Amino acid sequence: MLVLITYDVNTETPAGRKRLRKVAKQCVNYGQRVQNSVFECVLDAAQCRKVQHLLEEIIDPETDSLRFYYLGNHYKTKIEHIGAKPSYEAEGLLLV
């Protein structure tokens, strides 16, 4: 299923900037960055619970936030892209 992960981490302190880097690093391990704090991740249920738990352990819930949007398996008709940064095939070959 396609899961959209978004986050807002307070970066007013050095600790906040460190949390931001850690959250981004974990998200890169599971999906494709489509905007600064937005990742599209193709995950199964177990992977989804794992990444959610990892991210919850990193953030400070008093100042930061996470949002998970579950778009399911038929997500292709639910996404429309306009503008810069060409779209990509989420389940296609990803070259690094």
Side-chain angles (χ1 to χ4, degrees):
M1 81 176 131
L2 183 70
V3 179
L4 192 70
I5 301 174
T6 68
Y7 54 87
D8 187 17
V9 176
N10 184 317
T11 58
E12 294 177 355
T13 65
R17 291 187 288 276
K18 185 176 181 179
R19 287 193 313 276
L20 177 66
R21 288 189 301 274
K22 286 183 174 185
V23 168
K25 187 175 181 180
Q26 284 301 321
C27 288
V28 165
N29 290 335
Y30 288 91
Q32 176 72 34
R33 183 188 300 262
V34 292
Q35 292 187 354
N36 287 337
S37 296
V38 181
F39 283 79
E40 290 180 355
C41 306
V42 177
L43 306 169
D44 61 31
Q47 289 171 317
C48 190
R49 284 190 302 274
K50 180 179 178 181
V51 70
Q52 186 171 354
H53 176 74
L54 288 169
L55 295 176
E56 285 178 20
E57 292 293 313
I58 296 170
I59 69 160
D60 176 353
E62 298 295 319
T63 60
D64 308 333
S65 67
L66 293 168
R67 294 178 75 91
F68 296 83
Y69 297 89
Y70 304 100
L71 299 178
N73 292 321
H74 304 288
Y75 60 87
K76 291 179 184 178
T77 60
K78 299 176 185 175
I79 299 172
E80 183 175 345
H81 174 85
I82 299 169
K85 296 184 181 179
S87 193
Y88 74 102
E89 178 63 38
E91 295 183 76
L93 180 64
L94 182 62
L95 299 175
V96 182

